[in-house]
Amino acid sequence: MIVGKASWFFENEPVIIATGVTGGPFEKNGKLAEDFDLLYDDLWMGEDSYEKAHRLLIDEACRIALEKAELTKEQVNFMIAGDLINQITPTSFAARSLAVPYFGIFGACSTSMEGLALASFLINGDGADYIVTGSASHNAAAERQFRYPTEYGGQKPPTAQWTVTGAGYAIIAKQNEKYSEKPKITAATIGKVIDMGLSDPFNMGGAMAPAAADTIETHFEETGRNHEYYDLIVTGDLGKIGRATVLDLLHSKGIHIPEEKFLDCGLMLYKEEQPVQAGASGAASSATVIYGHLLKQMNYGFYKKILCVATGALLSPMTVQQKETIPCIAHAVSIEKNS
Amino acid sequence: MEKRLMLFIFSLSVLLFGCSTVNDTPETRSSLVRTSNPNPIAVNNKDEKLVGDIKETALSIDGIYDVAVIKGEAKDCLVAFKVHHLERFRMKKIEKQLTKELQKQFKDLSFTVSSDFKIFLEAVRLNEKVEKENLSKEKKEKRLQEIIKLSREKT
Amino acid sequence: MGKNNKTPEQKQYEKLEQQHETKRPVLKNCIKAFFVGGTICAIGQAVSYFYIYFFNFTEQTASNPTVATMIFFSMLLTGFGVYDRLGQFAGAGSAVPVTGFGNSVISAAIEHRTEGFVLGVGGNMFKLAGSVILFGVFSAFVVALIKTIVIQWFGGGFQ
């Protein structure tokens, strides 16, 4: 049901019945290693190109999610997913082997929540029984597309972020008594593209912050909720700079979220000593942390209601070279759990 | 990562030290950093006095502290010199000045003046050889011509 | 949207954002670059003397094999995955010497190996270094042209 202009309430409460989260070597050394279902020791993952390794991450994440949900792929109606690489080929190639009817979506690093919102809407409206959704990214594949070759010795500024190698996939299903204990999706707000005129591709957090702030503000306005409704508000990959800026922006708009309730996936993944500059980024940043870490925390009862805001910078290497500014987007999905 | 780095350093050192078979004396080897002050060489013994004078003339130029001289049978004469490190900026000028001075004082000789360390090193090596074993005139002259040819190489 | 016509809102945001932006440690970077760059050049000098001592090269002719050797070293370090870490630490210190040039060629070659030898390695090897070669050659041409003209006009009086 639509509320306001861009928000949905899901009165039938679709549930996340299972997740599959895979990661690479850098994530293995990170803070959240035990929240991953499968971790690879090197970036190649036994494949002969980074793009194939990227596809493998998605393949495995889907397989694990299906296994945990005790479903076969024939039972799944749709797959809604995407990634960052040219024409989202890794996801499409994974969809080829999965052979499930497929929506390919691109929302840069906001893909995870875009997929989750769409999947929830379809399930809520009786459009499907099971949907697999998620997003993925691969550090080396993204580096070579958006920046320089992996082994190139250029210096990255402290505002740069580290692309996560990983995939986070979830299976969304209709609510029934079997799943009453599972986390359910209650609302979503679709963001609009916002461009605040920043053009530095090595400072994505700063560019994406206004989009995140706007979506959070819209969400509160349209759903009538406020930050006290949630135990936790988590953003996708804003990093140090973006997170501080969003807090500032929201303060100036009269939304006073306490610092400890406002986390960023990009700052949760890695240890302090890992050389990631301002934090993690990439489509897998929000997907792996939310589907891996945060849903587990909800199952343990640490959080009851969380608002996930995944942010994406809608740039391409070409627009950067043509000196265009970076348009950004953010989507918010609220996940709750019955006590 | 450490293992790879170790392997790299190991192979590098093998590569570098594997070649050190040239039998230089310690004095020759350290001629890069020390003043080696080699005796001037004259292919023909009658030029002994002349080469001494040439060396003195070269050393009198401001900035030059080490000179090697080889005088051939005919008119050829090789002068290799080293300058103090901070004088390297004026090396081209010093070379010109030296050439001019030598040509003025020893009109009937044809000089090859070089600031190149390689040329100096070869002169020192020849000097070493001359002192150790009694080289024939032909051999000295041949080596001198080789060094002169080397100093003319550009690339 | 061009860079110059920003709305007041965008300008205001830019100001706000800059308060949170981590500044580049310029002085620290310069010092690191100085020492790492200096070390690389010292190694190059050592290689150069190695050629002078053990092979028939003069100071002038030793530069060619020295450059080749330094690029060979940087190739090994790039292949072992060390050079990009060094680059993150040293910045210009490892980018400006010829080893940085080697690294940019070799990293691109490794990167595009998966697309085959002709269109992948061959076509992309000079992706980063190509502009160095182009503008290096072009600026050398311009400088030589200016020198020639000056000598023609002033009869070499400047030498």
Side-chain angles (χ1 to χ4, degrees):
Chain A
M1 182 191 77
I2 191 136
V3 285
K5 198 179 150 213
S7 298
W8 287 321
F9 272 133
F10 302 121
E11 60 278 10
N12 296 332
E13 296 180 340
V15 284
I16 301 173
I17 58 169
T19 60
V21 180
T22 53
F26 215 68
E27 289 64 37
K28 196 172 187 170
N29 297 323
K31 248 193 290 191
L32 302 181
E34 65 240 37
D35 291 323
F36 284 81
D37 296 307
L38 180 65
L39 286 160
Y40 288 91
D41 282 322
D42 76 321
L43 281 175
W44 293 96
M45 297 161 201
E47 300 287 325
D48 51 18
S49 77
Y50 290 138
E51 286 71 20
K52 283 184 185 160
H54 195 334
R55 196 211 65 225
L56 185 72
L57 282 171
I58 302 168
D59 273 347
E60 288 300 302
C62 291
R63 186 186 60 77
I64 292 165
L66 285 171
E67 220 165 66
K68 281 204 230 161
E70 292 167 346
L71 289 175
T72 61
K73 56 187 182 183
E74 284 76 25
Q75 289 170 278
V76 175
N77 295 96
F78 301 116
M79 172 174 180
I80 305 176
D83 60 75
L84 303 173
I85 305 307
N86 296 325
Q87 287 82 30
I88 59 168
T89 42
T91 306
S92 300
F93 284 23
R96 174 180 67 188
S97 45
L98 206 61
V100 167
Y102 161 63
F103 293 103
I105 54 171
F106 181 82
C109 310
S110 69
T111 307
S112 57
M113 289 305 115
E114 185 180 351
L116 186 59
L118 285 172
S120 307
F121 184 77
L122 282 177
I123 301 259
N124 190 56
D126 250 352
D129 292 319
Y130 297 102
I131 294 179
V132 54
T133 179
S135 66
S137 58
H138 187 289
N139 179 279
E143 277 296 303
R144 68 176 278 192
Q145 180 182 329
F146 287 95
R147 294 181 190 112
Y148 302 114
T150 337
E151 296 299 337
Y152 178 64
Q155 194 174 36
K156 285 186 191 130
T159 52
Q161 287 171 283
W162 175 275
T163 308
V164 177
T165 304
Y169 275 73
I171 293 170
I172 320 298
K174 278 183 185 164
Q175 180 72 269
N176 64 28
E177 55 282 9
K178 197 171 128 203
Y179 298 138
S180 59
E181 282 300 297
K182 300 278 183 189
K184 61 196 184 188
I185 298 129
T186 57
T189 299
I190 306 302
K192 56 178 188 278
V193 176
I194 287 184
D195 188 337
M196 275 312 207
L198 294 196
S199 56
D200 179 7
F202 283 113
N203 182 14
M204 306 262 247
M208 294 190 293
D214 183 77
T215 302
I216 293 171
E217 194 193 357
T218 314
H219 180 78
F220 287 163
E221 229 166 64
E222 296 189 342
T223 59
R225 295 171 178 180
N226 57 21
H227 70 82
E228 277 149 20
Y229 181 88
Y230 292 107
D231 302 324
L232 177 71
I233 293 164
V234 62
T235 50
D237 56 350
L238 290 175
K240 281 178 204 145
I241 298 145
R243 177 173 172 272
T245 313
V246 169
L247 276 173
D248 244 24
L249 281 173
L250 289 174
H251 274 301
S252 67
K253 284 170 180 163
I255 300 168
H256 301 284
I257 304 176
E259 279 230 20
E260 66 279 2
K261 259 174 72 178
F262 189 76
L263 296 182
D264 182 63
C265 297
L267 294 173
M268 296 160 78
L269 258 176
Y270 298 116
K271 290 180 184 145
E272 278 297 313
E273 67 266 23
Q274 282 179 299
V276 295
Q277 277 83 28
S281 76
S285 172
S286 53
T288 52
V289 175
I290 290 167
Y291 293 149
H293 178 67
L294 288 175
L295 287 188
K296 247 183 213 175
Q297 299 269 297
M298 287 180 91
N299 281 336
Y300 295 147
F302 288 129
Y303 305 116
K304 293 268 177 292
K305 295 166 178 173
I306 63 172
L307 181 68
C308 306
V309 186
T311 47
L314 303 171
L315 79 174
S316 87
M318 193 180 58
T319 63
V320 169
Q321 283 174 353
Q322 290 173 348
K323 305 276 188 296
E324 298 261 0
T325 53
I326 305 173
C328 296
I329 194 163
H331 302 298
V333 176
S334 111
I335 303 174
E336 297 176 27
K337 195 171 176 294
N338 292 338
S339 38
Chain B
M1 192 50 60
E2 264 80 58
K3 261 187 199 161
R4 285 167 170 180
L5 204 63
M6 289 296 282
L7 188 75
F8 172 71
I9 291 168
F10 179 72
S11 50
L12 190 77
S13 40
V14 167
L15 189 80
L16 285 178
F17 296 120
C19 304
S20 57
T21 48
V22 183
N23 39 6
D24 281 337
T25 60
E27 285 82 57
T28 313
R29 228 174 287 142
S30 62
S31 63
L32 175 62
V33 283
R34 279 192 357 200
T35 312
S36 38
N37 196 21
N39 292 326
I41 305 164
V43 172
N44 196 325
N45 286 338
K46 70 176 164 63
D47 290 333
E48 294 254 325
K49 168 104 182 26
L50 181 65
V51 288
D53 290 346
I54 293 172
K55 192 175 169 186
E56 283 310 310
T57 312
L59 278 172
S60 69
I61 304 277
D62 191 30
I64 296 178
Y65 75 96
D66 209 359
V67 177
V69 179
I70 309 172
K71 162 82 176 67
E73 180 77 83
K75 285 167 70 179
D76 291 320
C77 184
L78 178 84
V79 180
F81 66 95
K82 289 198 291 185
V83 296
H84 290 291
H85 194 75
L86 288 174
E87 304 285 344
R88 286 186 77 92
F89 294 108
R90 323 192 286 124
M91 202 146 77
K92 280 263 139 61
K93 250 187 207 158
I94 292 175
E95 195 174 323
K96 244 185 193 170
Q97 195 189 345
L98 175 61
T99 316
K100 230 176 171 179
E101 190 64 33
L102 288 171
Q103 274 167 355
K104 206 173 81 190
Q105 292 199 21
F106 310 93
K107 287 208 174 72
D108 44 354
L109 291 182
S110 111
F111 285 102
T112 303
V113 178
S114 176
S115 60
D116 201 300
F117 173 67
K118 175 68 174 177
I119 307 302
F120 187 86
L121 180 69
E122 288 305 321
V124 171
R125 277 177 179 160
L126 183 61
N127 182 42
E128 198 96 335
K129 241 182 172 173
V130 168
E131 276 168 13
K132 242 196 273 173
E133 50 203 275
N134 221 343
L135 281 181
S136 68
K137 266 188 196 173
E138 288 72 37
K139 269 195 179 154
K140 285 193 227 170
E141 182 67 28
K142 194 174 154 240
R143 188 72 198 127
L144 171 65
Q145 293 306 332
E146 276 172 5
I147 297 172
I148 289 176
K149 200 176 148 223
L150 186 66
S151 76
R152 300 253 157 86
E153 267 176 33
K154 283 289 172 222
T155 48
Chain C
M1 234 186 283
K3 248 188 167 172
N4 299 319
N5 40 17
K6 281 185 179 156
T7 62
E9 220 181 356
Q10 286 181 333
K11 276 182 195 151
Q12 199 190 339
Y13 173 68
E14 208 180 326
K15 235 182 232 163
L16 179 99
E17 196 270 340
Q18 260 158 16
Q19 291 169 8
H20 295 289
E21 209 169 288
T22 328
K23 295 281 169 293
R24 291 176 190 229
V26 176
L27 186 71
K28 211 169 115 198
N29 281 353
C30 286
I31 294 168
K32 280 193 213 160
F34 176 79
F35 281 105
V36 174
T39 310
I40 291 173
C41 295
I43 294 170
Q45 193 62 47
V47 171
S48 173
Y49 277 124
F50 164 79
Y51 280 113
I52 290 174
Y53 265 93
F54 300 114
F55 295 93
N56 218 16
F57 290 106
T58 61
E59 269 180 21
Q60 223 170 33
T61 55
S63 62
N64 285 343
T66 304
V67 166
T69 310
M70 291 313 283
I71 288 180
F72 178 74
F73 288 162
S74 101
M75 178 182 82
L76 288 184
L77 288 173
T78 306
F80 287 144
V82 179
Y83 206 90
D84 55 331
R85 286 155 206 247
L86 185 70
Q88 179 59 38
F89 175 77
S94 62
V96 173
V98 77
T99 47
F101 175 80
N103 168 253
S104 70
V105 175
I106 291 142
S107 62
I110 295 173
E111 193 80 3
H112 293 277
R113 171 66 191 89
T114 53
E115 288 125 77
F117 276 117
V118 178
L119 292 175
V121 175
N124 292 297
M125 198 162 167
F126 293 101
K127 204 164 82 170
L128 298 166
S131 60
V132 178
I133 296 174
L134 171 69
F135 291 110
V137 171
F138 180 68
S139 51
F141 168 73
V142 171
V143 169
L145 198 69
I146 292 169
K147 191 190 167 191
T148 313
I149 291 171
V150 166
I151 289 174
Q152 285 292 317
W153 277 352
F154 300 99
F158 276 105
Q159 281 193 331

